[in-house]
Amino acid sequence: MTADIGALDLEEAGAVLAAEAARFASFGWMRGTSGNLSVVLSRDPLRLAVTASGRDKGELTAADVVLVDGRGAAVRGGRPSAEAALHARVAALTGAGAVVHVHTVASVAMGRRAPGGIVLRDLEILKGVGQPAHDVDVLLPVIANSQDMTELGDRLEAARNPRMPAVVVAGHGLYVWGADPRQARHHTEVVEWLLELELTGR
Ligand SMILES: [Zn+2]
């Protein structure tokens, strides 16, 4: 479990998330206002700052952020995405301090190709998600999509690999988490790299 990020207020969190979103948008991973990012501001009660819904993720400001509770409901700020509920579920389930959700082409394509999960092995970059680089199969789970965040959260909880900080949602995109926004970003970059390799390498 990560410690509370007591020093980070909502606006500071908004600035951090805006910078992260601009980077992901520049990669083409948050097209057409898709995706959302969050950071945990307190554990008890669980409170997360989540990027505001419907905004261009390359143009967010520190104010484009919503404070949500453990069910993803707004406590302060504007309208959160329905997906905020899944961010809260991931943070509660995994102890993550930050969650990234992006709609990448590689995650959707690989979710379609490997609906039972993606097995990765013998790749140096697996170290970037805390996995052995040799001789061990590493499962990146794939779950079916749903518009019901409770159902989607149940699927994520049932399928998740505790050793892998990511889940692919078929026909949708990718959820990745880490101890803080920087680690969540690094995990996202590594997982996306792995998905692109699987997609192009076969
Ligand atoms: Zn989404």
Side-chain angles (χ1 to χ4, degrees):
M1 299 285 283
T2 55
D4 287 3
I5 307 171
L8 210 59
D9 69 20
L10 186 59
E11 190 174 344
E12 288 167 340
V16 168
L17 295 180
E20 295 296 319
R23 177 190 292 242
F24 290 131
S26 77
F27 296 161
W29 297 354
M30 303 189 87
R31 303 264 179 95
T33 80
S34 68
N36 27 67
L37 310 179
S38 66
V39 59
V40 173
L41 297 187
S42 76
R43 282 275 159 207
D44 188 20
L46 183 59
R47 294 283 184 269
L48 299 92
V50 185
T51 49
S53 183
R55 308 280 167 79
D56 186 315
K57 298 305 188 297
E59 299 175 347
L60 296 181
T61 71
D64 293 322
V65 69
V66 184
L67 185 68
V68 303
D69 65 15
R71 294 173 297 110
V75 175
R76 187 147 47 95
R79 182 173 63 93
S81 163
E83 292 172 329
L86 196 55
H87 284 249
R89 183 88 177 258
V90 168
L93 187 65
T94 68
V99 181
V100 170
H101 171 54
V102 286
H103 294 190
T104 66
V105 172
S107 63
V108 173
M110 281 308 301
R112 186 177 289 163
R113 187 180 293 185
I118 300 152
V119 178
L120 305 158
R121 186 187 173 94
D122 294 338
L123 293 162
E124 185 71 20
I125 202 169
L126 282 167
K127 291 178 181 173
V129 280
Q131 304 301 315
H134 299 284
D135 303 328
V136 176
D137 284 345
V138 176
L139 177 68
L140 173 56
V142 177
I143 60 174
N145 195 25
S146 174
Q147 301 307 311
D148 181 327
M149 289 304 129
T150 301
E151 188 172 64
L152 201 53
D154 290 346
R155 288 176 186 166
L156 186 146
E157 184 167 351
R160 93 182 170 99
N161 172 1
R163 292 161 55 82
M164 172 60 90
V167 167
V168 170
V169 184
H172 185 161
L174 184 61
Y175 280 83
V176 188
W177 49 92
D180 52 41
R182 179 183 291 260
Q183 191 189 53
R185 180 214 304 160
H186 291 162
H187 287 169
T188 304
E189 291 176 352
V190 167
V191 170
E192 177 64 14
W193 189 98
L194 289 162
L195 290 167
E196 290 179 18
L197 179 74
E198 288 299 302
L199 190 61
T200 59
R202 293 186 185 184

